[in-house]
Amino acid sequence: MATELWERVLHQRGAATKVAVTDESVLVHERTRLVCLDPADGTLKWEARVGHWPDALLVVGPRVLVLAPGGALHCLSRSTGATHWRAEMPPWTRHLAVTNGVALAGG
């Protein structure tokens, strides 16, 4: 039997939510921001504005890649949420993958 350690209201509509989990963080989208939660107790570590309902969310080592609707690709620090860079993609871009240190985005 599983034991619930904590819970958090995500303020989301009834749709699938993008989530990424590591040993040090739980990354989840809330309204217009990405939040990083402590996996032990659910406390907020940081938040970053990334727009509504991202199409993709990936953790790549010390970085977090977020593909926002409309084509903005955000690269954030996994430990602080600070923006490393942001790139505009075509508005139909919906998928994101990383291989050999290269981010691939497409429709």
Side-chain angles (χ1 to χ4, degrees):
M1 174 183 259
T3 301
E4 182 178 299
L5 299 177
W6 53 269
E7 70 177 46
R8 183 177 180 94
V9 176
L10 296 178
H11 306 286
Q12 290 285 7
R13 63 182 179 177
T17 300
K18 303 289 189 267
V19 177
V21 179
T22 72
D23 288 342
E24 300 88 22
S25 57
V26 175
L27 297 150
V28 64
H29 190 258
E30 286 187 351
R31 293 186 180 150
T32 61
R33 63 196 182 132
L34 182 70
V35 296
C36 179
L37 307 174
D38 186 310
D41 59 13
T43 57
L44 180 69
K45 292 174 132 182
W46 56 258
E47 64 181 67
R49 300 258 178 229
V50 295
H52 294 284
W53 305 291
D55 291 314
L57 172 61
L58 291 176
V59 175
V60 184
R63 306 281 190 256
V64 178
L65 296 176
V66 183
L67 184 58
L73 177 59
H74 303 262
C75 178
L76 309 174
S77 165
R78 184 170 51 111
S79 60
T80 67
T83 299
H84 287 288
W85 51 263
R86 182 176 186 265
E88 293 300 320
M89 301 283 130
W92 59 83
T93 305
R94 296 285 183 268
H95 304 284
L96 183 62
V98 175
T99 183
N100 295 326
V102 176
L104 305 167

